[in-house]
Amino acid sequence: PAANIGVVGLAVMGSNLARNLASREGNTVAVYNRSRSKTDELVAEHPEAEFVPAFSYEEFAASLQKPRTAIIMVKAGGPTDAVIDSLMDVFEPGDIIIDGGNSLFTDTIRREKAVRERGFNFVGMGVSGGEEGALLGPSLMPGGPDEAWVTLGPILRSIAAVAEGEPCVTHVGHDGAGHFVKMVHNGIEYADMQLIAEAYDLIRRGTGKSPAEIADVFAEWNRGELESYLIEITAEVLRQTDAATGQPLVDVVVDEAGAKGTGAWTVQTALDLGVPVSGIAEATFARSLSSHREQRDVSGGLPGPAEDAFTVADADAFIEQVRLALYASKIVAYSQGFDEIRAGAAQYGWTIDLGAISRIWRGGCIIRAQFLNRIADAYAAEPELPVLLTAPYFVEALGRAQDAWRDIVATAAAAGIPSPAFSSSLAYYDGLRARRLPAALIQGQRDFFGAHTYKRIDKPGTFHTLWSADRTEVEAEDTH
Ligand code: NDP
């Protein structure tokens, strides 16, 4: 057999990944797609690439060297299960089946178990970077057995993006670990995008600058500590003029944000794990609020500050405050995301190197940013760091930013400008800092209506107050 790696599913992601693989020294790539036309097109349009086209699963299996290694890039869900079953019919034990789609990590855990029981290796791999990443170098988050990594590691290292000389791929952990980390990546992406959008909105409404002028602000920010792909493309989008109307493009686009569901998965999973990813949650809810057009239409008359009543006296000073608020909120969003990965690893029994995750996100993926080097440094200094934002670099940055952050959240509230991600990030920060939280009162309420008991600060044990009798305190069994 000629091919050392195969790709099943040749839509945009699969064909670009196949081309990326074929462009690397030493790779010959078997390609298969359910409908023949995509395979024919790919092979015809890229004579430079060493493809071995297959038109049945049998041909596909026959064209692959052992252990056979195949990456599936088809629609997540049922189609992925169908392709896995078809591959198991024609592959042999020891072969490696990789799902590169955006699968939910719990599906990956289920599939890994089923595939392993039949003697195959299964890898669930998060792929970030969209079409361009797949073609030129994605960030790859594979999870699966160590045995598969021996064969797969060198191939994946050859196609991944490179950041600071390191390929953006690491063996994340077992079974669903890779897809879990990809899910949290997308959640952080939601938070980052929402924070940038809030910053833009505040600057636009506070200073009256045009989108093109604000593009210059973002381009400037992209030369400093906020340097990142998302800041860079924000400037590009804001600078774009609509050909049809001559208006800034951002003013003719309908203001209802779409979502494919990975942000929601991140939040749902965080709720199950009990991890407060409030920045990601607010970003996800902000998208859903934006798309509830009917509710927005009937709510426009609600009382509040007039839309055009807000102007700042010193635009440059205000913009700098917004920049600091954005940076501080971004630190919180990433800290929360890494907290979710830590909690997921503990829950599902994965060993995940958080520093390695921050390093493989430095290239190829949507949240790539200079900032990730600071996270890598933090975990290098303290691998078991319980709260990322308590690393010395971030403490210093938050110290620099917090006055501005508070001013911006207060200003936005007074002006009636929604800033859910800025303000929830600040509330999280202050919640972590607080010596005492009103959670003590909640424990009292819970004990009052449900005899849920409470602990005392001054002695061990579990207690209950006899609220409906003489209100004396009794020691209680901790059964609730
Ligand atoms: P799509 O998600 O649009 O899926 C289309 C592909 O799935 C086609 O090759 C199609 O074959 C195949 N397919 C659908 N149903 C079946 C089935 N029952 N049996 C066999 N094949 C089937 O393609 P994309 O390239 O956009 O994405 C591929 C995967 O990568 C998805 O899981 C996606 O979530 C993920 N992903 C996408 C990113 C992106 O930016 N687009 C980024 C990262 C991951 P046919 O031609 O015969 O219809």
Side-chain angles (χ1 to χ4, degrees):
N4 63 318
I5 178 86
V7 177
V8 179
L10 303 175
V12 48
M13 289 297 287
S15 58
N16 279 356
L17 205 63
R19 286 172 59 198
N20 184 351
L21 284 160
S23 73
R24 311 292 160 157
E25 189 68 34
N27 283 340
T28 301
V29 186
V31 288
Y32 172 77
N33 191 70
R34 179 181 59 177
S35 29
R36 182 185 175 117
S37 56
K38 283 201 181 69
T39 314
D40 286 334
E41 263 171 46
L42 176 67
V43 173
E45 285 170 14
H46 298 284
E48 78 288 354
E50 286 203 53
F51 290 131
V52 183
F55 299 99
S56 68
Y57 282 106
E58 288 77 11
E59 271 182 46
F60 184 70
S63 65
L64 282 163
Q65 295 157 14
K66 295 178 193 175
R68 296 184 185 85
T69 306
I71 303 177
I72 302 171
M73 288 304 277
V74 303
K75 268 196 201 331
T80 301
D81 283 309
V83 173
I84 293 169
D85 285 341
S86 302
L87 287 177
M88 285 198 292
D89 288 342
V90 295
F91 276 16
E92 288 168 290
D95 290 349
I96 303 165
I97 298 172
I98 303 131
D99 170 21
N102 260 335
S103 296
L104 181 58
F105 75 98
T106 46
D107 285 340
T108 304
I109 293 174
R110 166 179 62 78
R111 287 173 184 143
E112 197 277 335
K113 185 165 181 287
V115 172
R116 174 162 36 87
E117 280 168 1
R118 290 185 53 183
F120 302 92
N121 289 301
F122 185 76
V123 174
M125 180 167 75
V127 178
S128 180
E131 300 174 32
E132 192 183 282
L135 180 61
L136 302 174
S139 175
L140 297 172
M141 292 152 258
D146 300 338
E147 185 188 332
W149 184 241
V150 176
T151 308
L152 198 54
I155 297 174
L156 296 182
R157 273 195 287 271
S158 76
I159 60 164
V162 176
E164 322 251 329
E166 273 185 77
C168 294
V169 57
T170 189
H171 183 200
V172 173
H174 289 161
D175 55 70
H179 276 136
F180 187 96
V181 165
K182 171 68 195 320
M183 173 187 77
V184 175
H185 164 285
N186 285 28
I188 293 174
E189 175 186 312
Y190 274 52
D192 218 338
M193 291 168 72
Q194 174 67 24
L195 290 168
I196 291 171
E198 290 177 18
Y200 151 75
D201 199 27
L202 281 159
I203 294 173
R204 182 128 189 222
R205 288 166 69 169
T207 69
K209 283 184 187 291
S210 70
E213 289 167 331
I214 301 172
D216 292 339
V217 171
F218 280 95
E220 175 64 32
W221 287 0
N222 202 39
R223 288 190 278 275
E225 61 194 355
L226 279 169
E227 182 196 334
S228 63
Y229 174 71
L230 283 170
I231 294 281
E232 178 191 328
I233 66 164
T234 298
E236 300 282 332
V237 173
L238 289 175
R239 219 185 298 283
Q240 182 74 8
T241 301
D242 174 48
T245 60
Q247 296 291 309
L249 178 71
V250 73
D251 286 348
V252 298
V253 173
V254 174
D255 59 344
E256 298 168 24
K260 283 207 201 150
T262 47
W265 287 352
T266 314
V267 179
Q268 281 159 353
T269 304
L271 288 170
D272 291 340
L273 292 168
V275 182
V277 293
S278 46
I280 299 171
E282 287 297 350
T284 308
F285 288 136
R287 289 196 191 187
S288 49
L289 187 151
S290 77
S291 60
H292 284 295
R293 177 55 63 186
E294 267 182 43
Q295 294 186 345
R296 291 175 59 191
D297 284 347
V298 299
S299 307
L302 290 171
E307 291 251 317
D308 53 6
F310 173 57
T311 44
V312 297
D314 182 339
D316 288 343
F318 180 70
I319 288 168
E320 176 58 8
Q321 283 193 310
V322 172
R323 188 188 71 79
L324 289 165
L326 175 56
Y327 194 58
S329 303
K330 180 173 163 129
I331 293 171
V332 166
Y334 281 68
S335 190
Q336 293 179 341
F338 277 85
D339 197 19
E340 182 164 352
I341 297 175
R342 252 169 60 91
Q347 172 74 24
Y348 294 99
W350 301 315
T351 304
I352 299 182
D353 176 346
L354 298 176
I357 301 307
S358 63
R359 293 197 302 277
I360 66 170
W361 287 349
R362 291 178 304 182
C365 67
I366 305 299
I367 64 171
R368 61 185 184 259
Q370 196 219 68
F371 176 75
L372 287 156
N373 283 313
R374 305 287 81 76
I375 298 178
D377 293 345
Y379 285 120
E382 201 182 338
E384 300 301 324
L385 190 65
V387 187
L388 177 58
L389 56 75
T390 61
Y393 177 87
F394 295 125
V395 172
E396 187 277 323
L398 290 161
R400 253 192 301 125
Q402 59 124 6
D403 284 341
W405 194 14
R406 294 179 194 287
D407 279 354
I408 288 297
V409 169
T411 301
I417 299 172
S419 59
F422 276 1
S423 51
S424 76
S425 302
L426 180 58
Y428 172 87
Y429 176 73
D430 283 331
L432 279 183
R433 291 174 59 246
R435 293 288 296 278
R436 287 282 293 166
L437 286 169
L441 175 59
I442 291 171
Q443 284 298 83
Q445 293 163 334
R446 294 178 69 243
D447 190 58
F448 188 101
F449 66 67
H452 291 303
T453 75
Y454 50 85
K455 295 196 187 307
R456 297 182 55 98
I457 59 171
D458 54 356
K459 57 182 175 185
T462 303
F463 301 91
H464 168 55
T465 291
L466 300 169
W467 295 103
S468 47
D470 63 356
R471 304 206 165 184
T472 55
E473 182 178 78
V474 295
E475 195 145 359
E477 290 278 306
D478 187 7
T479 51
H480 295 276

